Amino acid sequence: GIPGFSVKSGKVKITENQNGFFIPVRNIDGYISGMQIRFDEGNKRRYIWFTSNNLYEGCSVTGIEQIHYAGIRRDNIPKVIGITEGPLKADVAYELLGIPFIAIIGVANLSQLEENLKLLKELGVEEVNEMFDMDYFEKETVRKFIDKAHEIIKSVGFKRVIRRKWHDE
């Protein structure tokens, strides 16, 4: 199956969800490995995965790439990258700042970070600019996960790891 699609009455159907828009999650080769939905309103969660788990011939997003690449391709590796949370933020930051980004999908989702960073280092990335959410300063749980991400990034052995803010205070 493909996440977000199922089969009903012999025809492929797209999963029906509430109003919102799709955010593609791309792997290092530029392929869409999954999609998130950003709800317009009326949902307790702002973002969910586009999935068809529990539907006939459907599937979940379990096992897919959980790191999003914005402006980075295996055949075009920059020396300096940014890292943030969320594919939408990474895509917008790349377009506005011109800095290639990777994004973790949720601040607590660090399971694939180390292996992706090792690959990027192997391919030639030398510097990582951490540009996580500003709620790092307000929420203890967020701070713990971002500090853990920082330790993972440092442990990979980049020449430079810089923590940056989105704006000056």
Side-chain angles (χ1 to χ4, degrees):
I2 298 172
F5 297 89
S6 61
V7 175
K8 187 174 182 178
S9 302
K11 296 183 179 182
V12 175
K13 299 287 184 181
I14 190 167
T15 303
E16 295 180 21
N17 286 291
Q18 299 173 22
N19 291 336
F21 59 90
F22 286 125
I23 302 167
V25 176
R26 295 185 182 275
N27 65 19
I28 194 168
D29 297 310
Y31 296 114
I32 296 172
S33 60
M35 300 279 270
Q36 284 189 318
I37 300 170
R38 168 59 160 96
F39 288 114
D40 292 336
E41 58 186 56
N43 195 301
K44 291 179 183 178
R45 296 175 60 193
R46 285 188 297 169
Y47 296 92
I48 65 165
W49 282 105
F50 181 56
T51 182
S52 53
N53 196 28
N54 299 322
L55 297 175
Y56 180 71
E57 296 281 333
C59 70
S60 73
V61 294
T62 302
I64 69 162
E65 185 68 44
Q66 298 284 322
I67 301 288
H68 173 68
Y69 287 79
I72 303 171
R73 299 290 178 270
R74 190 183 304 268
D75 60 352
N76 184 24
I77 298 295
K79 297 286 184 208
V80 178
I81 65 167
I83 180 172
T84 193
E85 176 194 358
L88 181 59
K89 187 182 304 160
D91 286 343
V92 171
Y94 169 63
E95 291 300 323
L96 294 177
L97 302 175
I99 301 168
F101 271 82
I102 63 171
I104 56 175
I105 311 299
V107 73
N109 190 354
L110 303 174
S111 63
Q112 297 177 359
L113 181 60
E114 185 175 8
E115 69 185 79
N116 278 266
L117 288 171
K118 283 180 178 179
L119 174 62
L120 288 168
K121 185 175 186 298
E122 206 175 275
L123 293 172
V125 172
E126 296 176 359
E127 180 178 311
V128 177
N129 290 279
E130 294 179 31
M131 298 175 78
F132 288 106
D133 289 353
M134 298 306 292
D135 55 358
Y136 171 86
F137 298 101
E138 301 162 7
K139 299 177 182 173
E140 181 64 27
T141 54
V142 172
R143 184 172 23 262
K144 286 180 182 179
F145 284 115
I146 292 175
D147 286 345
K148 183 176 178 184
H150 178 74
E151 291 305 315
I152 292 169
I153 295 165
K154 282 179 36 181
S155 76
V156 172
F158 291 98
K159 288 182 182 178
R160 290 181 68 188
V161 177
I162 302 169
R163 281 187 160 174
R164 298 193 183 274
K165 294 181 182 179
W166 286 104
H167 60 80
D168 293 327
E169 292 182 21

